[in-house]
Amino acid sequence: MKHLAAYLLLGLGGNTSPSASDIKEVLGSVGIDADEERLDKLISELKGKDLQELIAEGSTKLSSVPSGGSGGGAAAAPTTGGAAAPAEEEKPEEKEEEKEESDEDMGFGLFD
């Protein structure tokens, strides 16, 4: 992925056919060592191809891939009187507070 990112950066910069040394230079500028085998494979597969066409082709392929689940279910409307609804809302809030208190009892936090 890092090799492809460097290749695309060079393409955006105006280099229409980046060489292995160009990609190594970009990766080296941020302290990443290039993998020769992967780099050679990437260059051989992209040689002579237009980046804009490849991106457009990939976008059409990705549009047919399902991504994600069906959204969350809708909340059910209360069927009883309006007075019952506030009592139901208070109960979950109390449970959430208990969870927060139990986390504090552990003696450490997420960023400690």
Side-chain angles (χ1 to χ4, degrees):
M1 201 67 172
K2 58 188 171 189
H3 299 93
L4 178 59
Y7 189 95
L8 292 172
L9 281 172
L10 288 165
L12 287 173
N15 188 344
T16 57
S17 63
S19 66
S21 63
D22 294 334
I23 295 173
K24 286 180 189 177
E25 186 177 331
V26 169
L27 292 175
S29 70
V30 292
I32 298 174
D33 295 326
D35 181 6
E36 290 290 331
E37 184 179 326
R38 289 185 180 182
L39 185 56
D40 292 337
K41 183 178 179 182
L42 174 74
I43 290 177
S44 66
E45 288 183 11
L46 295 178
K47 191 171 191 172
K49 296 183 181 178
D50 182 38
L51 288 178
Q52 298 302 323
E53 290 176 15
L54 290 174
I55 291 171
E57 185 180 319
S59 295
T60 57
K61 287 181 181 179
L62 282 176
S63 66
S64 65
V65 176
S67 59
S70 61
T79 57
T80 60
E88 289 176 1
E89 289 178 8
E90 291 177 14
K91 289 180 183 177
E93 290 176 7
E94 291 175 8
K95 290 180 182 178
E96 288 177 14
E97 290 176 12
E98 290 175 10
K99 289 179 185 177
E100 291 176 11
E101 290 174 7
S102 65
D103 288 343
E104 291 176 0
D105 292 340
M106 295 175 71
F108 62 90
L110 181 62
F111 299 105
D112 289 343

